[in-house]
Each structure stands twice: as C-alpha cells, then as structure tokens.
Amino acid sequence: MRTVVVFQRDVETRRAWMNATAWALRPAFERAHARVMDRGEEGLRAALAAD
C-alpha cells in the first residue's frame, strides 16, 4: 500500500510590516518558509517510517 501526500504552499501574511516590505523581502520570506516546510516534511517522513 502506498500513500501520496502533496503539499501546496499558499501563504498569506497578516502582519503589516511583512505586507509593507514584501516587495523587497519576498525572496527571503519564501526561503524561510520553504526551510520550515522542509523540516516539517522531514519530521513527517521520519514519523511515518517509524511505524
């Protein structure tokens, strides 16, 4: 049996400073978010492999 998981990253910011600086900082925000999501994926894979 196999399970396929697809992650879709739709991100919305609600902090005024993020929205105001998004034009300049978007690449940094995207990299930081991707790192957090990748860590979460690693943890999920490890948890599933342990079962």
Side-chain angles (χ1 to χ4, degrees), residues 13 15-30:
T13 61
R15 295 187 177 172
W17 72 268
M18 289 180 125
N19 291 334
T21 60
W23 63 273
L25 299 178
R26 182 178 309 277
F29 293 157
E30 289 176 349

Side-chain angles (χ1 to χ4, degrees), residues 31-48:
R31 282 191 305 273
H33 181 74
R35 278 194 303 269
V36 169
M37 294 301 291
D38 289 344
R39 282 186 171 162
E41 180 182 358
E42 289 172 11
L44 179 58
R45 285 181 185 272
L48 293 173

